[in-house]
Amino acid sequence: MPGVVSSIAVVTQSAIAGLVAGLCILQCIWWRSDRGRSGSGWLLAWTAAIGVLLAVNIGLSILSPAEDYYRWVVFVRSQVLATCVVLALPTVRAFTGGPPVRPWVLASIAGFVLRAVVWLTTDFVLVDNSGGAMARGPLSVPTFFLPLAVVAVYVGLALGRVGDRRARWVIAGTSLVSVVLLAVPYLAPVGPWTHPLTVTWTVPWRPA
């Protein structure tokens, strides 16, 4: 059964990666033809980061957890995911006209850097068990949700700058769904399907 789940994950994420690559091409064309609009550049960077996240997730679906380097690939995936979350800040600001974003970016980056340091120096984020299996440490969830909360608060403040009521509700709805989808793989038990779920939070934002 785990092999079937892994195969489905690889095929599904490969298909989504193809769509994201197509979006990157379209957004690159948009950015080149409209350099005066900062939103196009941030959206391109954010989409490209999501594409990298998909590629790393595909690698995790193929690799065996028993391999020595598997833990390092999981660490890299965590950093790419953090990059996607941080890039959401300037992207949201560009399209909503939200408040100055620099302090929020620095705060979220500081949170993720602290998480990376704890990850590399302790077993409080990721615990190696016998047989190559891994489990979350006691600080795995808190150290991720702290910088995520910074992003969520900023998005809430940015919504107040959106004059169009319908657009405000659409952004609020997609943000809520994205946060829920991003939280699921961190709150559910670790399994072969949890890595692919870490990219599903971006789906509600794709029409943007």
Side-chain angles (χ1 to χ4, degrees), residues 111-189:
F112 282 124
V113 169
L114 176 61
R115 185 173 197 265
V117 171
V118 174
W119 187 320
L120 293 174
T121 58
T122 72
D123 60 355
F124 291 156
V125 175
L126 194 66
V127 179
D128 285 322
N129 294 325
S130 58
M134 292 183 297
R136 297 190 187 98
L139 295 182
S140 177
V141 174
T143 54
F144 179 78
F145 276 83
L146 185 61
L148 178 62
V150 173
V151 177
V153 171
Y154 179 84
V155 172
L157 293 175
L159 287 175
R161 302 288 186 94
V162 179
D164 189 325
R165 179 184 241 177
R166 182 176 297 178
R168 186 162 60 242
W169 279 106
V170 169
I171 296 174
T174 54
S175 300
L176 178 61
V177 173
S178 292
V179 169
V180 170
L181 290 174
L182 184 55
V184 167
Y186 281 88
L187 298 178

Side-chain angles (χ1 to χ4, degrees), residues 2-207:
V4 174
V5 174
S6 180
S7 298
I8 294 175
V10 170
V11 172
T12 303
Q13 291 183 105
S14 296
I16 297 175
L19 293 174
V20 171
L23 281 172
C24 282
I25 294 174
L26 292 175
Q27 289 166 7
C28 184
I29 295 173
W30 177 28
W31 172 70
R32 289 175 63 86
S33 63
D34 191 20
R35 290 176 181 269
R37 184 174 181 182
S38 61
S40 59
W42 286 118
L43 187 58
L44 173 60
W46 190 45
T47 304
I50 292 171
V52 174
L53 178 60
L54 277 163
V56 176
N57 276 346
I58 292 172
L60 281 173
S61 300
I62 296 173
L63 297 175
S64 169
E67 299 290 343
D68 294 337
Y69 51 79
Y70 186 86
R71 178 189 176 99
W72 292 105
V73 179
V74 173
F75 176 77
V76 169
R77 184 197 64 83
S78 179
Q79 307 320 303
V80 177
L81 176 60
T83 301
C84 292
V85 173
V86 172
L87 283 175
L89 284 167
T91 305
V92 169
R93 194 210 181 223
F95 287 96
T96 63
V101 75
R102 178 173 293 182
W104 300 87
V105 170
L106 293 177
S108 60
I109 289 176
F112 282 124
V113 169
L114 176 61
R115 185 173 197 265
V117 171
V118 174
W119 187 320
L120 293 174
T121 58
T122 72
D123 60 355
F124 291 156
V125 175
L126 194 66
V127 179
D128 285 322
N129 294 325
S130 58
M134 292 183 297
R136 297 190 187 98
L139 295 182
S140 177
V141 174
T143 54
F144 179 78
F145 276 83
L146 185 61
L148 178 62
V150 173
V151 177
V153 171
Y154 179 84
V155 172
L157 293 175
L159 287 175
R161 302 288 186 94
V162 179
D164 189 325
R165 179 184 241 177
R166 182 176 297 178
R168 186 162 60 242
W169 279 106
V170 169
I171 296 174
T174 54
S175 300
L176 178 61
V177 173
S178 292
V179 169
V180 170
L181 290 174
L182 184 55
V184 167
Y186 281 88
L187 298 178
V190 177
W193 53 275
T194 52
H195 292 313
L197 281 180
T198 56
V199 81
T200 59
W201 67 280
T202 63
V203 173
W205 284 94
R206 288 303 79 222

